[in-house]
Amino acid sequence: AICYPLHYFTKVKPKTVQVCVCLCWMFAASFTGLLLKNNLQHPGRYNSCIGECVYDMNYIANVFDLIISFLFPITVIVILYIRIFAVVVYQARAMRSRIAVVTKKVTVKKSEM
């Protein structure tokens, strides 16, 4: 959408976006279900008093949960924002050079660049 805005809607269809969103939600639900499987099979096993909601997770599950639920999405988001930033800087420099060719005097603030 940033690099080729006119081609975006020909490459990305609404149905494809809906399928991707549904797959993400189904993955999240199944992943959480797997983590809570033991508590779902034996409800109340770890409760010591009425109304307490406790579930037991082992070390490997905690590390896997950290990677899948936090580190992987954050890494993807940072990489995408870096790519967007690089494209925006490239386009800003291209626009600045085009403006410089058309007009001799360019007054562009550093913060705008």
Side-chain angles (χ1 to χ4, degrees):
I2 300 286
C3 297
Y4 308 105
L6 299 177
H7 298 285
Y8 178 74
F9 290 107
T10 60
K11 292 184 178 189
V12 178
K13 303 288 184 201
K15 192 70 170 174
T16 307
V17 173
Q18 289 174 350
V19 168
C20 288
V21 169
C22 288
L23 285 174
C24 287
W25 278 104
M26 287 189 322
F27 174 76
S30 61
F31 180 69
T32 304
L34 284 174
L35 290 177
L36 298 175
K37 185 180 87 169
N38 193 23
N39 194 34
L40 293 173
Q41 288 175 344
H42 308 287
R45 178 179 175 184
Y46 302 106
N47 295 357
S48 59
C49 59
I50 297 173
E52 184 181 21
C53 181
V54 179
Y55 64 93
D56 185 36
M57 290 177 56
N58 59 11
Y59 180 74
I60 295 171
N62 284 337
V63 170
F64 190 69
D65 184 38
L66 174 71
I67 292 169
I68 295 296
S69 299
F70 182 72
L71 295 178
F72 179 70
I74 291 293
T75 304
V76 169
I77 289 169
V78 168
I79 289 171
L80 289 176
Y81 274 115
I82 288 172
R83 288 185 63 198
I84 290 171
F85 180 75
V87 169
V88 168
V89 168
Y90 173 76
Q91 290 177 353
R93 287 183 181 153
M95 289 299 293
R96 188 174 193 185
S97 66
R98 288 181 187 156
I99 291 172
V101 169
V102 173
T103 60
K104 299 292 181 195
K105 186 178 179 184
V106 178
T107 56
V108 178
K109 295 178 183 177
K110 188 177 181 181
S111 63
E112 289 175 349
M113 184 61 181

